[in-house]
Amino acid sequence: MKIELINGAINPIALQWGPFRVHWYGIIIASAVILALWLSIREGRRLGIPEDDFYDVLLWSLPIAVICARTYYVVFQWSYYSHNLSEIIAIWDGGIAIYGALIGGLITILCFCHYRHLNAWRFLDVLAPSVILAQAIGRWGNFMNQEAYGLVTTKAHLMALHLPTWIINQMYIGGAYRVPTYLYESVGDLLGFVILLIIRHRHHWLKQGEILCGYLGWYALVRMIVEGMRTDSLMLGQLRVSQWLSVVILIAVVIIVIYRRRHFDLPWYSDLLIKEKKL
């Protein structure tokens, strides 16, 4: 398996046997999921969460997240799909939305925690940093597919960003260089992952459930900024759907954190780890 170039751009097909194709996008997403699972299991052990719970929730949440990601995309592109119904299930041709995946995944995890009698806040706190890291990695699938890019720019501008040549070449799309918005979001997500790790174990910084809130708030902020640069936004009239949803999430996160701190005697996340160590 090697990276091949077609007219200077990376071939999005990693492997091919006859009609069977393996895309770099799929390889990158699968790698991101595996890494996120491994990190979640490691942190889960520190809180006494059984390893099997992470495997089981993945088996349920991953396919549902993919279905919801596609459904979200189709709903906001209904003007096209209403006349091309047979293409609704053609997910292999592209067309998924990360917010749809997050909504579907979150609902599935909440149902799973209820069924297993798990503390959902605690479980989601463990998952949150791993998920944003997976998103940072997953954006490179967009890079391989030459999608999720921004407005037309110049090669000089990209060079001024000190980007390596192989990234600059890949951003030559449709006869023009494009702003690498996928990269901006990836870097923003990676920074969010680092911040969450730094503060996760700090004594009396975050209470139970606030790592999840931190993840949601940070990602919403990153997405709101980057979405304004993209040229392929899902629209609702004249509004960019992801930007407005990001605003709603940011407001909701602030309200939830304030409400929970005022009305509930919540344990600190670091205290949960300390208690588990004493067992």
Side-chain angles (χ1 to χ4, degrees):
M1 184 170 58
K2 64 180 181 179
I3 296 178
E4 297 180 347
L5 299 180
I6 300 178
N7 297 324
I10 298 173
N11 185 354
I13 308 299
L15 295 169
Q16 182 168 357
W17 296 282
F20 180 73
R21 296 179 174 181
V22 178
H23 292 248
W24 281 112
Y25 185 93
I27 293 174
I28 291 171
I29 295 298
S31 300
V33 170
I34 292 170
L35 178 59
L37 176 63
W38 178 70
L39 290 174
S40 296
I41 289 173
R42 283 194 62 185
E43 182 64 13
R45 290 190 186 122
R46 294 161 59 84
L47 275 75
I49 301 176
E51 184 174 328
D52 286 346
D53 285 338
F54 293 101
Y55 290 118
D56 293 343
V57 78
L58 179 65
L59 290 175
W60 282 101
S61 61
L62 186 58
I64 292 176
V66 172
I67 293 171
C68 290
R70 180 61 172 178
T71 301
Y72 185 103
Y73 183 85
V74 169
V75 166
F76 289 105
Q77 292 282 14
W78 187 243
S79 60
Y80 172 80
Y81 286 103
S82 62
H83 298 94
N84 299 274
L85 297 178
S86 62
E87 296 184 26
I88 289 178
I89 63 172
I91 194 171
W92 50 87
D93 289 333
I96 59 175
I98 185 63
Y99 264 139
L102 293 178
I103 292 170
L106 178 60
I107 293 174
T108 303
I109 292 169
L110 290 174
C111 292
F112 177 85
C113 289
H114 177 76
Y115 178 77
R116 288 285 178 90
H117 304 291
L118 299 173
N119 185 314
W121 289 108
R122 190 183 193 187
F123 197 74
L124 287 165
D125 272 348
V126 172
L127 293 176
S130 302
V131 171
I132 199 169
L133 176 61
Q135 290 175 243
I137 296 171
R139 278 302 172 194
W140 286 88
N142 299 132
F143 167 76
M144 302 300 281
N145 282 352
Q146 292 187 303
E147 59 191 11
Y149 50 79
L151 297 171
V152 172
T153 187
T154 63
K155 185 175 182 179
H157 173 73
L158 297 178
M159 293 177 66
L161 297 175
H162 303 290
L163 299 176
T165 301
W166 55 275
I167 289 183
I168 293 175
N169 291 341
Q170 188 71 357
M171 295 315 298
Y172 189 74
I173 304 168
Y177 287 97
R178 298 283 183 165
V179 174
T181 50
Y182 83 90
L183 178 61
Y184 299 160
E185 186 168 331
S186 179
V187 172
D189 291 345
L190 183 60
L191 180 59
F193 170 71
V194 173
I195 292 172
L196 288 177
L197 285 190
I198 290 174
I199 66 178
R200 183 163 68 178
H201 304 312
R202 296 293 181 181
H203 185 61
H204 292 178
W205 276 29
L206 293 178
K207 293 199 171 188
Q208 181 176 273
E210 291 181 357
I211 295 176
L212 169 66
C213 292
Y215 154 68
L216 291 173
W218 180 268
Y219 179 69
L221 179 62
V222 170
R223 186 59 187 268
M224 181 176 63
I225 295 171
V226 175
E227 189 69 22
M229 307 178 191
R230 289 178 56 168
T231 58
D232 60 345
S233 298
L234 296 176
M235 307 295 290
L236 183 61
Q238 299 299 314
L239 304 177
R240 295 176 186 260
V241 176
S242 290
Q243 280 191 315
W244 284 100
L245 182 54
S246 294
V247 172
V248 171
I249 291 173
L250 279 169
I251 295 172
V253 164
V254 172
I255 292 173
I256 289 171
V257 170
I258 294 175
Y259 180 83
R260 293 179 79 240
R261 287 214 174 199
R262 286 186 175 180
H263 295 86
F264 299 98
D265 183 18
L266 303 170
W268 299 98
Y269 184 86
S270 57
D271 288 345
L272 295 173
L273 292 171
I274 293 170
K275 291 177 182 178
E276 291 298 336
K277 290 178 181 179
K278 292 180 179 179
L279 291 177

